[in-house]
């Protein structure tokens, strides 16, 4: 949604329109992909989130007229552990 790149659904994070901690309408993460309602998918990176915010993609994708707070989604992305790239291990490595 943010960067518009296609990838496997399993690599994306589903988000839905819901309520934030303060009760206002917000974009909330749905990692289990079981929340009811219309959902949208984006890469679980801060870069993709910022592109979606800048493009105002959340209200369009989730078909919500009012502005959506994206703070709950930011908090979820910041709380995720960072994946560290490991060198390839093959038959020649020991």
């Amino acid at each position: 949604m943010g960067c518009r790149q296609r990838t496997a659904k399993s690599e994306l994070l589903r988000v839905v329109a819901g309520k934030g901690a303060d009760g206002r309408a917000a974009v909330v993460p749905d990692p289990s992909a079981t929340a009811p309602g219309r959902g949208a998918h984006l890469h679980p990176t801060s870069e993709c989130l910022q592109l979606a915010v800048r493009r105002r993609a959340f209200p369009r994708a989730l078909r919500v007229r009012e502005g959506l707070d994206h703070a709950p989604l930011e908090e979820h992305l910041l709380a995720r552990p960072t994946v560290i790239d490991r060198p390839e291990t093959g038959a020649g490595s020991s």
Side-chain angles (χ1 to χ4, degrees):
M1 187 169 73
C3 63
R4 299 182 185 178
Q5 293 180 350
R6 292 184 176 261
T7 189
K9 191 174 178 181
S10 61
E11 296 179 25
L12 300 173
L13 174 65
R14 183 175 188 258
V15 296
V16 295
K19 299 285 183 190
D22 57 359
R24 295 184 340 173
V27 179
V28 295
D30 180 22
S32 63
T34 58
R38 184 173 183 84
H41 293 83
L42 79 152
H43 289 100
T45 64
S46 296
E47 295 83 17
C48 195
L49 170 63
Q50 294 309 318
L51 283 170
V53 170
R54 190 171 68 216
R55 290 181 44 241
R56 297 183 184 112
F58 291 118
R60 272 194 317 269
L62 300 173
R63 295 186 182 169
V64 176
R65 292 184 186 256
E66 61 193 55
L68 293 170
D69 182 20
H70 59 275
L73 182 55
E74 272 188 62
E75 291 170 7
H76 175 78
L77 293 178
L78 291 174
R80 289 181 52 131
T82 305
V83 176
I84 299 173
D85 291 330
R86 294 186 209 148
E88 297 276 334
T89 57
S93 64
S94 46

